[in-house]
Amino acid sequence: MKKRSFWLITALMTIALVGVVVMQLYYIRQAYELNSEVFKQNVNQALTAVVNKVQRRNAATLITRKDFDWRLKREKEQRDKEKTIASLEERYKEGERKRKFEQQRMIIDDLNLQDSIIRAVYLNPTIISEADYIALSSQSTTPLNVDVSVAFDSDLNVVGGNVRKTFMLSRARTFSMRPYKLPDSIRYLVYNKLDGKPLKVSVATVDGDVALRFNRDDTLAKRRYEREMKQLKADTIPLFSSSNFNLVEETAKEMERGDVPITQRISKDVLDTLIKRELVNNNIDLPYDFWVKLVNRDSLLYKKVSNAAAEVLPSNTYQTTLFSNDILRDPGMLYVSFPNKSEAIFSNMGVTLASSGGLLLVLIFIFSYTLYAILRQKKISEMKTDFINNMTHEFKTPVATIMIASEALKDPEIVEDKSRIKRLAGIIYDENVRLGNHIERVLSIARLEKNELHFEKTEVNMNDLIAAVADSMSLQLQKRNATLILNLDAAHPVVEGDELHLSNVIYNLIDNANKYSMESPVIEIITKNTPRNLLIQITDHGIGMTKDQTKRIFDQFYRVPTGNLHDVKGFGLGLNYVQDIVTQLGGNIKVQSEKDKGTVFEITLPLI
């Protein structure tokens, strides 16, 4: 197949596939827009019903709420004060807990930092108990205590006196926030880096200045708490009294007030319940977010979020006025958003999407398979062309030799020389045999493909067969100064197979190992047993193969590129023949190879 034709067919198929995909996407978009419009109508109907119920509920409960409010306000003052006191106490306790935790964390961080300095300055620091520390104090062999209050800058440069040295501090944390009581001082047994002498190191758990700062913070927090508590308990002025209360008059005033916020006319929970109920009545069962804002200013009053990670899109959001009849007061705006709107609409388009997706998958499969078939045919065509070229070259040499020898036989001078006639006849015979072998190899592959190759199965001793093949190839191996190593260690080497074809298998593998080695080939053949099989390994140290080449090595007509080794001849049929023979005898063959390092073929044949 010509390259131009291949690309033309590929381009046409791609254009056709893209056209079908575009048409399917267009139909899907039309169906999506239709379903979106239906969804919008249902949502608007639900929001209209919600607004009507909110307004009726607000008017019906206003009087009841006013009557209930003034009764609760008298009780609420004391309850609020008690709650405030309890809240103040809780805040004080929580602040104290956090403060103590932060102090503990600072102590642990400081200890770990000093621990890191000690580990950087001394050798093999070990934390010891107070008893061990006191015991070491009575030993004359241990030097006096060492003060490790070493100054250091932001670059971890330790500064002490006239000494300035940089240390790599360890990131390990010796001390943690576990709930255990720390001693007043941390005792270490360390060793001097210069002379290796033991030293005692003592580190204060809490620095004096730090302890003073902790006490100051605790005192200030306690004073602030006592002052606020005293002020709160001193405030005894009642907010509400039990004076005359006219319910009708108060209700009328409430209706006329323009500063009554929406939060007093509708609650978040009631609004959420009404929205959910009306959406279900309109066949919408989706997670939704809703929020309430003022119309006259951008002020968020309520918000309920079902999916905080979802993005609020204008196309997924619907709005309506809550109290459209209010003139003096802000009517408020209700917004409802559906994060999964697209998923719901697509779920209603299940049949359409399934049919479109199925059609696209079928088209993509057909396109991919056709492209694969075209590429495969192109490769096979190229490989067959190479095969024909190789076969022509292989046939040309013996034919030319026979022609030269035949012409020589016509020479009258040669007719009288019987030795030369015999030699020329031998050349003609050898070249005919060579041609016959080439033809037989091609015919054997053809018979294998058609399952017309018949096996004469007998018991074959593979150790003896390998030795015989190696002996017959000795002259061929000697020409290249090859070394053949036989390690025929299989205790049970007898398999059932065709001796002729098995010898051809071994011959092909040894011949390949010889041909595809640069100089002085070294070939090793090993036989060994597994519980049920005979393993034959043929190893060479030749030019090897890449991973891509090993995947194709058993393909018909495929030949491994040999670079500058132009003397390697063949049709690319040998390993394909080997694989077919081994497979039909119930075995398998594997190859492991590394470029420029060699190749290992492993044949597994079942034992009798």
Side-chain angles (χ1 to χ4, degrees):
M1 181 182 292
K2 294 183 178 179
K3 187 174 181 181
R4 181 178 299 176
S5 301
F6 168 74
W7 287 115
L8 179 60
I9 293 173
T10 304
L12 292 175
M13 291 176 60
T14 304
I15 292 171
L17 180 63
V18 171
V20 173
V21 171
V22 170
M23 289 297 296
Q24 288 295 319
L25 292 177
Y26 173 76
Y27 288 131
I28 292 173
R29 179 179 177 83
Q30 291 295 104
Y32 180 83
E33 291 178 353
L34 179 60
N35 281 272
S36 297
E37 188 61 30
V38 174
F39 183 85
K40 179 180 179 181
Q41 293 176 2
N42 292 336
V43 172
N44 288 333
Q45 290 176 4
L47 292 181
T48 301
V50 169
V51 168
N52 292 334
K53 290 185 177 182
V54 166
Q55 293 177 357
R56 289 197 300 268
R57 181 184 291 267
N58 181 67
T61 58
L62 182 59
I63 294 178
T64 304
R65 189 179 65 193
K66 291 297 296 181
D67 180 65
F68 184 71
D69 286 347
W70 81 270
R71 295 178 185 276
L72 293 178
K73 286 177 181 178
R74 290 181 300 174
E75 301 173 1
K76 186 175 181 298
E77 177 184 2
Q78 186 62 31
R79 188 166 60 251
D80 289 346
K81 182 177 293 186
E82 292 174 356
K83 288 183 178 179
T84 304
I85 292 174
S87 176
L88 180 61
E89 292 177 348
E90 183 65 26
R91 288 199 307 272
Y92 173 72
K93 291 179 181 180
E94 179 66 17
E96 185 177 22
R97 185 188 66 79
K98 292 181 178 180
R99 190 169 61 256
K100 294 299 183 183
F101 179 84
E102 182 63 22
Q103 292 174 0
Q104 181 71 7
R105 186 188 64 77
M106 293 174 62
I107 292 171
I108 294 298
D109 289 347
D110 185 63
L111 286 176
N112 280 315
L113 179 60
Q114 296 189 71
D115 181 80
S116 298
I117 297 175
I118 291 173
R119 295 181 185 280
V121 174
Y122 300 105
L123 291 175
N124 195 23
T126 305
I127 298 177
I128 60 176
S129 65
E130 186 68 23
D132 293 337
Y133 185 84
I134 295 173
L136 289 173
S137 300
S138 62
Q139 298 179 14
S140 59
T141 58
T142 305
L144 295 177
N145 297 347
V146 178
D147 183 8
V148 297
S149 300
V150 185
F152 60 95
D153 57 20
S154 60
D155 295 327
L156 301 181
N157 296 318
V158 179
V159 183
N162 296 325
V163 179
R164 182 180 184 90
K165 187 175 182 181
T166 301
F167 295 95
M168 295 297 295
L169 297 187
S170 171
R171 295 183 178 271
R173 295 183 62 85
T174 303
F175 303 94
S176 64
M177 294 291 290
R178 291 181 299 169
Y180 58 84
K181 182 174 178 62
L182 293 171
D184 294 337
S185 299
I186 306 299
R187 311 296 191 179
Y188 288 86
L189 176 62
V190 301
Y191 296 88
N192 195 308
K193 284 188 175 181
L194 298 178
D195 53 16
K197 291 183 178 181
L199 302 173
K200 292 183 299 174
V201 178
S202 179
V203 177
T205 304
V206 183
D207 184 74
D209 293 338
V210 174
L212 290 175
R213 187 178 68 182
F214 288 168
N215 291 333
R216 184 174 64 251
D217 292 343
D218 293 343
T219 302
L220 290 175
K222 185 174 182 180
R223 288 179 181 176
R224 183 164 58 250
Y225 163 73
E226 291 175 349
R227 183 173 62 253
E228 292 179 359
M229 184 63 73
K230 182 178 180 181
Q231 181 179 357
L232 183 62
K233 291 182 178 180
D235 186 9
T236 58
I237 301 175
L239 296 176
F240 305 100
S241 64
S242 58
S243 58
N244 294 332
F245 179 78
N246 190 318
L247 181 60
V248 177
E249 181 179 345
E250 289 295 326
T251 303
K253 290 180 180 179
E254 182 72 19
M255 296 293 291
E256 293 175 356
R257 286 175 56 189
D259 59 345
V260 179
I262 295 180
T263 54
Q264 296 183 11
R265 288 179 277 169
I266 185 66
S267 70
K268 176 182 176 182
D269 294 335
V270 171
L271 196 57
D272 188 15
T273 302
L274 291 175
I275 292 173
K276 185 174 182 179
R277 183 184 304 166
E278 294 303 324
L279 288 176
V280 172
N281 291 339
N282 285 271
N283 300 319
I284 300 175
D285 188 13
L286 290 176
Y288 60 88
D289 306 333
F290 78 87
W291 59 94
V292 177
K293 285 187 175 182
L294 298 179
V295 175
N296 299 327
R297 56 181 177 174
D298 187 12
S299 177
L300 181 66
L301 303 178
Y302 292 133
K303 187 170 185 180
K304 179 236 178 183
V305 179
S306 61
N307 188 358
E311 184 180 0
V312 178
L313 301 175
S315 59
N316 297 347
T317 305
Y318 303 88
Q319 64 183 38
T320 187
T321 304
L322 276 174
F323 298 96
S324 57
N325 295 327
D326 286 359
I327 299 176
L328 299 177
R329 295 180 291 193
D330 194 302
M333 292 295 296
L334 171 64
Y335 297 86
V336 179
S337 177
F338 299 91
N340 299 330
K341 171 188 170 183
S342 297
E343 296 179 10
I345 293 176
F346 279 122
S347 66
N348 293 331
M349 298 166 56
V351 177
T352 302
L353 292 176
S355 60
S356 299
L359 179 60
L360 287 177
L361 288 175
V362 170
L363 290 174
I364 291 173
F365 172 77
I366 294 173
F367 175 80
S368 302
Y369 182 78
T370 304
L371 191 60
Y372 166 77
I374 292 173
L375 288 172
R376 192 167 183 272
Q377 290 298 324
K378 183 173 180 291
K379 288 182 180 179
I380 292 175
S381 177
E382 292 174 352
M383 291 167 65
K384 284 186 177 181
T385 301
D386 292 339
F387 165 71
I388 293 171
N389 291 336
N390 289 332
M391 185 175 65
T392 302
H393 181 269
E394 291 289 333
F395 284 3
K396 183 178 179 181
T397 302
V399 169
T401 304
I402 291 172
M403 184 178 293
I404 293 171
S406 299
E407 289 178 353
L409 288 174
K410 295 179 181 180
D411 190 344
E413 296 180 0
I414 295 178
V415 174
E416 301 298 331
D417 191 345
K418 293 183 179 181
S419 61
R420 294 186 65 183
I421 291 175
K422 185 177 179 180
R423 181 170 173 274
L424 292 173
I427 292 173
I428 293 173
Y429 176 80
D430 292 340
E431 294 302 320
N432 274 323
V433 170
R434 184 178 175 187
L435 277 173
N437 288 336
H438 289 334
I439 295 171
E440 182 62 29
R441 290 172 65 188
V442 176
L443 292 177
S444 294
I445 295 297
R447 287 197 296 269
L448 276 171
E449 289 184 345
K450 296 179 180 180
N451 294 323
E452 294 178 355
L453 191 64
H454 299 289
F455 293 97
E456 295 181 3
K457 291 188 177 181
T458 59
E459 292 186 0
V460 180
N461 188 312
M462 291 304 298
N463 285 348
D464 295 342
L465 181 66
I466 293 171
V469 172
D471 183 64
S472 67
M473 297 183 68
S474 59
L475 292 177
Q476 182 178 342
L477 295 172
Q478 288 174 8
K479 288 181 180 180
R480 299 204 62 206
N481 196 24
T483 301
L484 181 61
I485 304 171
L486 299 180
N487 293 317
L488 308 178
D489 301 326
H492 303 285
V494 179
V495 299
E496 186 178 22
D498 188 296
E499 185 174 354
L500 174 62
H501 290 292
L502 284 174
S503 63
N504 288 339
V505 167
I506 302 301
Y507 177 87
N508 273 285
L509 294 176
I510 296 176
D511 186 53
N512 277 348
N514 185 37
K515 289 192 299 185
Y516 288 95
S517 295
M518 296 292 289
E519 294 178 359
S520 300
V522 178
I523 306 167
E524 182 180 7
I525 303 178
I526 299 173
T527 63
K528 55 186 176 180
N529 286 116
T530 63
R532 296 184 179 181
N533 298 303
L534 172 69
L535 266 61
I536 303 171
Q537 290 182 343
I538 299 178
T539 306
D540 67 69
H541 303 281
I543 63 174
M545 294 176 284
T546 63
K547 290 184 178 180
D548 292 336
Q549 290 170 349
T550 56
K551 293 177 182 178
R552 303 177 58 193
I553 192 66
F554 296 109
D555 292 347
Q556 213 172 65
F557 309 123
Y558 180 76
R559 300 183 68 220
V560 176
T562 57
N564 294 326
L565 293 178
H566 301 293
D567 57 336
V568 178
K569 300 177 182 180
F571 298 150
L573 298 175
L575 289 178
N576 179 261
Y577 167 80
V578 168
Q579 185 186 48
D580 286 341
I581 294 297
V582 172
T583 302
Q584 292 197 31
L585 292 177
N588 63 73
I589 181 169
K590 297 185 294 185
V591 60
Q592 295 179 355
S593 184
E594 189 173 352
K595 190 68 175 174
D596 298 325
K597 291 189 178 181
T599 304
V600 179
F601 284 94
E602 182 178 280
I603 298 173
T604 304
L605 294 173
L607 295 172
I608 296 177

